[in-house]
Amino acid sequence: SSSDEERGGAGDGEFVIESIVDSRGRGARAEYRVRWAGYSALHDTWESAASLQDTAALAQFRSSRRSRSRPPR
């Protein structure tokens, strides 16, 4: 699997994160909209920051947000 894919879920099913496409809230209430590999946007889910901690997908999403919010030089 590529570096932006993460395995998640519990029980019988195992899901792979394709990407994180949006966020809402701040701090402990932050949630991220997850696009699951092999599924359409209709199946996106909002996941807590805690459930995505230490995933490459979250690090990539945060990095892309920081680079877009920097003012031009």
Side-chain angles (χ1 to χ4, degrees):
S1 76
S2 70
S3 64
D4 64 336
E5 292 181 346
E6 296 292 331
R7 302 208 180 279
D12 297 333
E14 190 169 291
F15 299 93
V16 176
I17 297 172
E18 181 176 303
S19 62
I20 296 175
V21 297
D22 199 4
S23 65
R24 65 183 180 190
R26 291 178 162 260
R29 298 177 67 112
E31 293 183 313
Y32 298 90
R33 188 171 179 177
V34 174
R35 174 81 32 89
W36 300 102
Y39 294 88
S40 72
L42 295 173
H43 296 96
D44 290 357
T45 59
W46 288 99
E47 303 293 334
S48 70
S51 69
L52 298 171
Q53 204 63 27
D54 300 324
T55 62
L58 182 56
Q60 182 178 4
F61 177 80
R62 288 177 172 166
S63 175
S64 69
R65 284 289 172 113
R66 277 193 296 273
S67 65
R68 282 192 282 161
S69 64
R70 290 186 182 148
R73 294 182 181 184

